[in-house]
Amino acid sequence: LSAPRRKTLHHALRDFVLSGAELQGAAKERFATIQERSAELSQKFSEHVLDATDGFAHYASSEQMDGVPADVQQATREAALAHADGPKDGHKLTLHQPVYQPVMQYANNRVLRARLYKAYVTRASDLGPAEQDNSALMRELIALRQEAAQLLGHASYADVSLVPKMARNPAEVNTFLQDLAVRAKPFAERDMQALRGVHLDVPEGDFFA
């Protein structure tokens, strides 16, 4: 075979191995059980995130919507008027991207942006409804991934993830990220100083320690 074909074949065989093709007996059965359970947990995880996203709504005043594009303001106002329990005052904001993204990008009201951001990054967490909390699912998924990695002969799931990638091991990835952080920090600090010069509501403090 030519070099490209040999490489393609090598990658295909590697992927079969990472899928448990070389496992035998009880190890093979356990690996299949782990994969099935992981798929179930991943599905539940996604459903919880979707439910948490759909379940959030915040009604902002016209003043708070200053800076937001007119079409978004119109759509959110219409959504408030079309509320199932009757018309609502203000603008109905959700965590769906057509609303969330332009509000985060253009709204001048820092308090409004902070509220939406916190709601977005804490979806399906222990800060929300218990039936949507993904904490236990994540703990089980982590444990299952660790077990699957060891069945495949690797120290951790991170090692398995890196098999088809350029980095050779997790330590190399961490070193790269730490070096990147050191190099990026001066530029980030400069950007923060520029923001403080334009927006007086940006708080003091070292955000990049």
Side-chain angles (χ1 to χ4, degrees):
L1 298 176
S2 64
R5 288 179 179 274
R6 287 199 307 271
K7 195 68 172 179
T8 300
L9 179 59
H10 169 76
H11 288 169
L13 293 174
R14 176 203 63 199
D15 292 342
F16 276 119
V17 172
L18 293 178
S19 298
E22 290 186 335
L23 297 177
Q24 300 294 327
K28 183 176 183 178
E29 293 179 4
R30 178 55 184 163
F31 189 84
T33 300
I34 289 174
Q35 297 301 100
E36 182 178 350
R37 177 59 178 164
S38 296
E40 294 175 359
L41 293 173
S42 297
Q43 179 64 30
K44 289 181 180 178
F45 184 99
S46 298
E47 290 172 357
H48 289 173
V49 173
L50 180 60
D51 290 343
T53 302
D54 291 341
F56 176 86
H58 173 69
Y59 292 87
S61 66
S62 297
E63 292 76 16
Q64 291 176 316
M65 295 291 285
D66 179 54
V68 178
D71 61 326
V72 178
Q73 292 200 38
Q74 180 179 350
T76 54
R77 178 63 188 135
E78 291 174 354
L81 292 173
H83 191 273
D85 296 333
K88 297 282 188 178
D89 295 332
H91 300 257
K92 181 181 180 180
L93 304 185
T94 70
L95 300 179
H96 294 288
Q97 288 302 312
V99 173
Y100 177 78
Q101 190 60 43
V103 171
M104 293 301 299
Q105 184 173 354
Y106 297 109
N108 292 321
N109 190 297
R110 185 174 186 269
V111 174
L112 179 63
R113 298 197 311 272
R115 179 170 189 142
L116 259 65
Y117 177 78
K118 182 177 180 180
Y120 189 85
V121 299
T122 59
R123 290 173 299 164
S125 73
D126 57 350
L127 299 180
E131 64 272 14
Q132 297 172 357
D133 184 5
N134 274 335
S135 301
L137 299 184
M138 289 189 287
R139 285 191 291 268
E140 186 175 354
L141 275 170
I142 291 172
L144 290 173
R145 288 179 175 183
Q146 177 64 22
E147 184 181 355
Q150 292 176 336
L151 287 172
L152 293 173
H154 294 275
S156 70
Y157 182 78
D159 289 280
V160 174
S161 175
L162 292 176
V163 170
K165 300 172 184 174
M166 291 180 64
R168 290 169 292 186
N169 53 62
E172 190 173 280
V173 174
N174 287 332
T175 299
F176 171 81
L177 292 175
Q178 291 166 2
D179 178 67
L180 181 62
V182 171
R183 295 172 184 269
K185 182 176 178 180
F187 298 96
E189 290 178 329
R190 185 183 64 188
D191 290 345
M192 178 58 73
Q193 291 301 323
L195 286 171
R196 288 197 177 108
V198 175
H199 299 288
L200 298 180
D201 62 347
V202 176
E204 293 292 333
D206 188 358
F207 288 83
F208 309 101

